[in-house]
Amino acid sequence: MQQWCYRWLMACGLGHGLLGLGFIGFMASPASAHYVAEWALRFETGVNTQATVAALQFLGPTIASWGLMFCTALQGYWLIRASILWVGMILAIGVWLVFDTGLSAWYGLTSHYVINAFAALVLLLPLWQLRQKIPSSHTG
């Protein structure tokens, strides 16, 4: 089970990196019209403005780099089992979850509630399972 959790989390991190890069192109495509319109409406920039698209495209590299940093922390934790890395991953997910969901609620971006709840579950449950399997002599 531990190996499966590690592989799942690594796939999530790598997928996050790839999705972040894809987000840049997606935001410029017609397929993103509904999402861009939701942001434009919430931030009163006008529907489908180039400024809204550009602002959203800037999220792509941040999303991608978060996924790659997560993979790096996970790999480090897998190799040396230092609890500080596990705690750091939990805290990073917690900061993202609380503030992204809070800001989404503040601005009425309801689509983020479902996305955030799903992402938190698919990350936190396996990460918690990894923590439970580490012998106490390896918690560094």
Side-chain angles (χ1 to χ4, degrees), residues 1-127:
M1 182 62 142
Q2 189 178 19
Q3 183 76 13
W4 183 90
C5 289
Y6 166 76
R7 288 181 178 164
W8 170 257
L9 289 167
M10 191 61 76
C12 286
L14 292 172
H16 206 273
L18 292 173
L19 286 172
L21 295 176
F23 193 76
I24 299 166
F26 171 74
M27 294 317 306
S29 77
S32 70
H34 176 73
Y35 189 70
V36 172
E38 182 182 10
W39 275 72
L41 176 68
R42 297 295 175 213
F43 296 101
E44 301 173 1
T45 62
V47 177
N48 296 331
T49 65
Q50 186 59 36
T52 302
V53 171
L56 289 169
Q57 284 179 310
F58 277 110
L59 294 175
T62 302
I63 293 167
S65 64
W66 188 93
L68 298 176
M69 284 189 284
F70 181 81
C71 287
T72 302
L74 179 64
Q75 180 67 23
Y77 178 68
W78 184 254
L79 292 174
I80 64 174
R81 310 295 178 148
S83 62
I84 189 67
L85 293 172
W86 185 85
V87 170
M89 288 184 286
I90 294 291
L91 288 174
I93 293 167
V95 166
W96 157 77
L97 181 62
V98 168
F99 287 96
D100 191 273
T101 304
L103 287 168
S104 295
W106 179 266
Y107 289 108
L109 296 167
T110 55
S111 62
H112 287 208
Y113 304 156
V114 174
I115 295 168
N116 289 358
F118 176 75
L121 286 175
V122 301
L123 293 172
L124 291 172
L125 292 176
L127 196 52

